Structure formats: C-alpha cells, structure tokens
Amino acid sequence: MTRTSTTATPLAPHPDRLLPADPGARAIARTVYEAVADAPIISPHGHVDAALIADDEPFPDPAALLVTPDHYVLRLLHANGVGLDELGRGPSGAVDGRGVWRHLAEHWDDFLGTPVRYWFETELHDVFGLREAPSAENADAQYDHLAALLRAPEFRPRALFDAFGIEVLATTDDPTADLAAHARLAADPTFHGRVLPTFRADAVFDPARPDWRHVVTSIGEAAGIDAGTHDGLLAALRARRRYFVEHGATATDTGVLDAGSAPLSAGERSRIHAAAMRGPDGVTAAEATAYRHDMLYRWAEMSVDDGLVMQLHPGVIRNHHRPTLDRFGPDTGHDLPAVGSFTEPLRPLLNDFGTAPGFHLVLFTVDETVFSREIGPLAGFYPAVYAGAPWWFIDTPAAIGRYRAAVTDAAGFTKTSGFIDDTRAYCSIPARHDMARRADAAYLASLVVTHEITEEDAVRTARRIVSDIPRATFKL
C-alpha cells in the first residue's frame, strides 16, 4: 500500500540521538562520543567494489547508489509489497531510478524504528543536504536534487572517500580475482587511503554445490596448479592467499552453514575430493559435511602459516526463497538466520590452533544468544579468538548495547573486532560508523554512572574501539 502525506516532515537528526535519556548519563555519553565523532573510519569488513574507487567515475543514479545494491533496504520494501523487479533487480538489470526512489519515498514510514531508517536519515541529511524526509509528494524533487549532486566532482567516489574520513576500507573478493583495482589504488600517489582485498572462497568448502568443480578448477587455473587432487587444491589455495597478501590483504572471510571443524585423514579427504570431482552425485550429504568441516580446519591451519586473520560467520540459511533466487539471484534480502553454535563445533580447531602465536579468529553471528553463552567465553580464554561486532540483522543500536553487555563481562573490550559495517552501500559507511560510536558511548556512560569505570576510562576505551582495537584484531 502506498503511503502519502500532506505536509513535509523535517529531516533533522537529533544531535543526542542514541545517547541515554538520563541527563547525567547523557552528558557523559556526549563527552565520550565527541572524543571519537570525527575519528578516521577503519572498515575492516565490507563489500564495496574496489573498482568503484579506482575508476572514480560519477555515480550513475541516486537509486542505483542508495537503494538497489543494499539488501537491507530491498528486503523491507519487498516485505511491504514492492517487487524486486520494481527495485532494479530484474533479470534485465535495467534500473528505473526515479521509480525506485518513489517506492522508497512512499514507503518511508515502513522503516521507522529500524537501523535502515537511522542510516538513511543521517546519510541524506549529512551527506546530501536534504532537510525534508522523503515522501510521495517530494520524491521527484529529491531525486532531481540527488541526481544533480552526483554529477558534481565532490560527489565522485574518491572525493567522498576523503570526505567520509575513511582511512582503511577492506573489500571482499573472489579467490580468482586479479586485484587490478587494488593494485592501481596502491600505486596511485594521489590516493592516500588504503583499500585492502579480503580472500573469500566459500564455494570451495562444499563439494555438494553444483558449481563446486568449476570453482575448484578456476582456482587451480588462477594459481597455475592442478587442483584436481585435494593436495593440489590446498596448494592452489595457499598460492592464491599469498597473492592476496602481496596485494595488501590481512584477512580472509568465510561464511559456512555451521562451525564444524573436525579434521579428516589425508586419505579420507583425498577420497571425497576425487569422488566430488567426478560429479555432484559422487558424494553423500554426510561426506560433503565432513569435507566442509575438514576444510574449515585446513583454513585455520593456513592462517597459522600465512598470518591472514580468519573471519568466520556460520549459521546463515542462504537464499531461503527459491523462486526469488531463481529469478533475481543471490543477495536479494532472503538470507535468514539459523541457530548458532561455536563451542563444541570449534573444539577440534581450537585445540590445535587456539593458542597458536599470531593466529586471529574473528567470530560473527546472527544469533545473538551465543554472544554471552559461547563467543564471549571463547574470546575470554583463547588468545586466538575475537568477538566480532553485531553483524547483519543485528547491527542495530539496541543490539550493539546487548552485545557489549554480553561480551564485555567475559572478554573485555580488547578481544573484540571494532565496528563492522558489512555494507555494499558506499554512502552509508559514515552513518553506520557514527551509529556504532554513539551506541558505544551510551554503553560506556552506563558503566561510568554506576562507578564501574571512570570517565577517563570511557573516553580512552572509545578511542581504542574505533582505532587501536580494529588495527590490532585485523593486523592493519
């Protein structure tokens, strides 16, 4: 149903948004927030394409920049009756930018109370200078305003990179990527930020996937190593990881169904690999699961050897709605949470590598019940384990507070990741980091007013959360 209004609603984010309601705590939180409000952004986990920054071409369209690539936005518009084909995700790839923006404006109130509404308000006000909330009445005028801005030099990707105060931005990259855009940026004396690749090879873990043989073969070709055997695949993966390290990578990123990590014998994993190379029907479901668990163990083994930080986020049911996947492809809003578990599934891996010097394992979850039950305690014992920030569905102000309360008791602040924006929506990066800084300021103020820490502790910790902690966790 279309939402309409008759009067314009001001777009004016409150300067004390997300800070505590109690005046005393709010004053402390304001001091803490102000200490980090303008600190450089370190984004160690995201999905912006490095070529966007390297090419530095003007953004083509407001909707293609702000709406279509952001599955947070797509999923809620879809839930409220807007078809994905109307949002620029149809098979043709054509985007009716003005129509997409009208849909967002007409459904603006459907985002009330969500982090998406928060990010959008901050982004539209601070970056693009809008002073009215989107509505059916002003949709066309706002679209024209945004389109005009995107043609200006100060709104090109590199200018925004500087304006946003981004110091480090990590991308997420296919294991066969040539990383040419990263190399161009690193060699460009006029570009002063750091854009680092991240090695992501999820498809290689699961031999039951229909594209697994193609992926394995492609990795072997990229490495110049025959990946037809399991030993060959491991050698090819090590070679590709070294290539990423040479181009500035400090981390890998892995999303699997569960965190099982039981190793197989060399003979058994080679047998399953050979059977899977003969075809997708060559392995049973149990064999595919055993292979995936062994591969996670091997991933940690490689990280101990080459020093790449291992990011792990299990427990996501990908592409839940098959008709949407078939028509529109992945990353269209219907990846959904599953129940998480880490302590027992990771025991084999942590028994062998949990105290290995230099090994960093950052655990993320979409099931926040495991923060206090599993992730916090694991990070509170194992030198290798770090508690990843709330991610994806739960990177909301309230969930950030719950995360801090759940994890800090067991692991403190230094065994966490710093904020993770995990975004494809380039212009939302500063809004998301600002949200996290405000939410953390509120949490730290709550410790000050109960005399658990001093105000000086709170300010110092806030500064560490946005700088020292992500640098150390991700070896930046």
Side-chain angles (χ1 to χ4, degrees):
M1 182 176 68
T2 298
R3 275 61 170 174
T4 60
S5 62
T6 58
T7 59
T9 301
L11 185 64
H14 196 281
D16 284 337
R17 56 196 183 278
L18 305 186
L19 303 188
D22 174 76
R26 184 167 62 246
I28 295 169
R30 191 183 295 134
T31 297
V32 174
Y33 167 70
E34 288 172 353
V36 296
D38 297 322
I41 289 174
I42 296 175
S43 176
H45 176 123
H47 300 280
V48 172
D49 186 352
L52 178 146
I53 301 167
D55 295 341
D56 199 33
E57 295 293 333
F59 293 105
D61 172 81
L65 172 64
L66 302 173
V67 180
T68 301
D70 196 334
H71 59 268
Y72 293 86
V73 181
L74 296 183
R75 62 185 300 275
L76 200 53
L77 287 173
H78 180 269
N80 282 279
V82 184
L84 291 174
D85 51 348
E86 300 175 82
L87 297 170
R89 295 304 292 262
S92 70
V95 179
D96 171 17
R98 188 177 297 275
V100 171
W101 188 260
R102 285 173 179 166
H103 283 302
L104 175 71
E106 292 165 358
H107 288 266
W108 184 246
D109 282 350
D110 290 329
F111 291 92
L112 271 173
T114 70
V116 177
R117 173 73 172 251
Y118 179 93
W119 299 329
F120 255 129
E121 287 181 345
T122 303
E123 180 179 1
L124 295 178
H125 181 276
D126 293 356
V127 178
F128 296 102
L130 295 186
R131 295 298 180 262
E132 290 183 4
S135 67
E137 289 77 17
N138 68 20
D140 284 345
Q142 288 194 340
Y143 180 85
D144 291 336
H145 170 80
L146 294 169
L149 288 180
L150 294 182
R151 292 191 291 270
E154 58 266 32
F155 283 87
R156 290 173 72 157
R158 292 198 189 186
L160 288 175
F161 192 100
D162 292 337
F164 294 163
I166 300 174
E167 183 174 309
V168 179
L169 178 69
T171 62
T172 302
D173 304 278
D174 187 274
T176 64
D178 64 11
L179 305 181
H182 295 84
R184 285 161 51 201
L185 288 168
D188 188 341
T190 67
F191 182 72
H192 304 294
R194 296 173 65 195
V195 178
L196 309 179
T198 300
F199 190 82
R200 183 158 184 177
D202 292 1
V204 80
F205 282 69
D206 186 0
R209 286 177 55 134
D211 62 345
W212 181 81
R213 285 189 299 165
H214 170 72
V215 169
V216 167
T217 301
S218 297
I219 291 172
E221 291 173 349
I225 297 172
D226 182 4
T229 66
H230 191 260
D231 285 345
L233 173 60
L234 294 182
L237 287 167
R238 290 190 184 98
R240 292 304 298 167
R241 288 167 64 110
R242 285 195 300 273
Y243 183 83
F244 271 62
V245 170
E246 291 164 1
H247 284 74
T250 69
T252 68
D253 182 26
T254 302
V256 287
L257 185 60
D258 65 80
S261 62
L264 295 172
S265 68
E268 184 65 1
R269 61 180 185 264
S270 295
R271 181 191 67 77
I272 297 173
H273 183 94
M277 289 298 290
R278 290 192 289 270
D281 297 329
V283 297
T284 66
E287 288 173 328
T289 297
Y291 185 96
R292 173 163 45 82
H293 291 176
D294 176 82
M295 186 62 77
L296 196 65
Y297 180 94
R298 303 300 151 199
W299 222 236
E301 191 173 51
M302 291 182 195
S303 286
V304 170
D305 290 340
D306 63 24
L308 285 173
V309 176
M310 181 176 170
Q311 298 179 88
L312 179 63
H313 46 90
V316 179
I317 300 170
R318 301 286 179 181
N319 305 309
H320 190 266
H321 189 239
R322 184 56 186 263
T324 296
L325 174 65
D326 290 343
R327 185 175 178 192
F328 299 106
D331 299 319
T332 44
H334 52 113
D335 294 348
L336 297 172
V339 175
S341 182
F342 292 87
T343 304
E344 282 302 322
L346 286 176
R347 187 196 288 260
L349 185 158
L350 291 173
N351 273 339
D352 289 348
F353 308 119
T355 59
F359 177 44
H360 289 194
L361 173 62
V362 185
L363 301 180
F364 297 102
T365 185
V366 290
D367 175 7
E368 64 177 289
T369 65
V370 303
F371 278 129
S372 61
R373 189 178 68 248
E374 302 194 34
I375 292 179
L378 287 169
F381 172 77
Y382 286 99
V385 176
Y386 294 78
W391 163 70
W392 196 23
F393 283 101
I394 54 175
D395 56 356
T396 70
I400 290 172
R402 292 193 295 269
Y403 159 81
R404 288 294 179 200
V407 168
T408 305
D409 282 352
F413 292 97
T414 57
K415 291 303 298 295
T416 61
S417 65
F419 180 62
I420 302 297
D421 57 64
D422 186 44
T423 188
R424 293 172 175 82
Y426 185 55
C427 291
S428 74
I429 290 174
R432 295 180 195 227
H433 282 262
D434 182 75
M435 178 198 74
R437 293 172 187 190
R438 290 172 179 273
D440 281 336
Y443 177 72
L444 289 164
S446 75
L447 301 183
V448 174
V449 296
T450 53
H451 306 293
E452 296 176 71
I453 65 175
T454 67
E455 189 168 328
E456 291 76 15
D457 288 332
V459 169
R460 185 173 63 254
T461 301
R463 287 174 173 152
R464 296 188 70 190
I465 288 170
V466 303
S467 180
D468 298 346
I469 287 172
R471 290 178 197 278
T473 302
F474 290 92
K475 304 182 180 181
L476 297 173

